[in-house]
Amino acid sequence: MYDSVTTWRLYSAEQSIPLGQPLTDVDAARALVRRVKRSAWWRDNIAYDVRVRTHIRGREAAGWISSYAQSAGLGQSTSWTISLHPMMLNDLIVFHELAHCIAPRWQYSGGRRRDGELTNHTERASHGDGFAAALAELVGQFGTVTHHDELRLAYHHFDVPVLSFEEYRAAVEDSLLAERDILAMHREIEERFATQARISPGFIPQWTWGDRLLSLRQRAGAGTRGRMSREHLAQLISRVERCSPRDVQRLEAAQHLPQDPRLRRIAMCMAVALCLDPIYARHQMGLVRWECGVELHELAAINPDWVELVESMNFQMAARPPRWVIDGDR
């Protein structure tokens, strides 16, 4: 769920405004989706035909409940399923999931592939500026005026990146144009893995816990000497916790979050030194300061910009808390 600061900003903005109209059952949710899709606004502004199925299910895991929208395609998908958790039957939740169905998914990233035939495209953030534009427009067109105004104010407070609706429409058109290249790229990847599997039976590409740290270090020096050395990274971390290049290597090779308290403390410092997104660090890698024995002020010796970001996020959350309240800073 929480995969980046961008997602955190969007969720925080949305969760700081009151919920909209409750929906009694799946029929009411489907009726709302039909009303949106049959509207003149949808006909005039959505650049392609989108099929949407709605059912009640959602997810429950590790104490979280969630609803989701799932696509059936790789490009700018035209087939979606919205799955609503029974405790989340509300028009604002429906608008959120419907925004996924119409948000631009791909953007041109510059240049061409090495074979010279396919241009480079990257997948847009799932809760990025295009999604935020789609959600704001849906709430403005089909929600209450109060909720629309509140959502825009919340966007501003949490520094949510958001396209204008004209920019959103252009981004969708670009994503549609990219679809041929995206599908071709996925076919190429599938063929490559199939070939590798024939050469090495049982081969399954895997991404381990430490690979993320290794990848970040290798990219950290891009444009200078190509990568940050383990020696230099260990020196940065040693400002807070004694660290050797061997410690860095052990963490980069780790399959899972280490249980050793000292290595956890080093791992937290390592993530900060490499500018790892603080939301990704917490929710995807399990690197939480208070569980790693690291104080926020200590990390300023390694990366003051990272600390400033976290402090500003804590301030934003305190000034505009979510509908539920949890004590303490993030």
Side-chain angles (χ1 to χ4, degrees), residues 65-198:
I65 64 170
S66 63
S67 300
Y68 61 89
Q70 186 170 19
S71 73
L74 297 172
Q76 189 68 32
S77 181
T78 60
S79 180
W80 288 80
T81 297
I82 292 177
S83 183
L84 300 169
H85 191 279
M87 295 178 65
M88 300 176 73
L89 288 176
N90 186 278
D91 66 351
L92 188 61
I93 304 300
V94 172
F95 295 146
H96 179 109
E97 303 309 336
L98 196 54
H100 280 298
C101 305
I102 61 173
R105 295 185 69 186
W106 297 90
Q107 62 186 348
Y108 175 62
S109 60
R112 302 185 73 83
R113 301 284 298 283
R114 282 181 295 179
D115 54 24
E117 294 181 3
L118 300 179
T119 53
N120 285 322
H121 303 281
T122 56
E123 193 163 11
R124 302 177 72 100
S126 61
H127 293 101
D129 52 7
F131 173 87
L135 176 59
E137 195 68 16
L138 287 169
V139 172
Q141 293 291 331
F142 305 101
T144 68
V145 174
T146 300
H147 281 156
H148 178 255
D149 293 345
E150 276 290 306
L151 184 60
R152 289 287 186 177
L153 287 171
Y155 275 2
H156 178 73
H157 176 80
F158 285 102
D159 298 318
V160 174
V162 55
L163 299 179
S164 69
F165 199 62
E166 290 73 21
E167 292 170 329
Y168 156 81
R169 293 177 64 175
V172 171
E173 292 288 353
D174 289 344
S175 188
L176 289 169
L177 291 173
E179 186 162 9
R180 178 186 63 84
D181 289 342
I182 301 305
L183 295 175
M185 179 185 69
H186 277 270
R187 283 195 296 271
E188 178 185 309
I189 292 171
E190 289 172 0
E191 290 171 0
R192 186 180 304 164
F193 282 152
T195 300
Q196 182 65 50
R198 287 194 297 270

Side-chain angles (χ1 to χ4, degrees), residues 38-73:
R38 292 174 180 175
S39 68
W41 174 86
W42 184 278
R43 183 180 63 251
D44 295 341
N45 291 283
I46 303 306
Y48 56 105
D49 182 40
V50 184
R51 298 182 300 279
V52 181
R53 295 174 59 250
T54 307
H55 63 231
I56 303 299
R57 187 175 303 153
R59 293 192 185 104
E60 294 187 22
W64 293 81
I65 64 170
S66 63
S67 300
Y68 61 89
Q70 186 170 19
S71 73

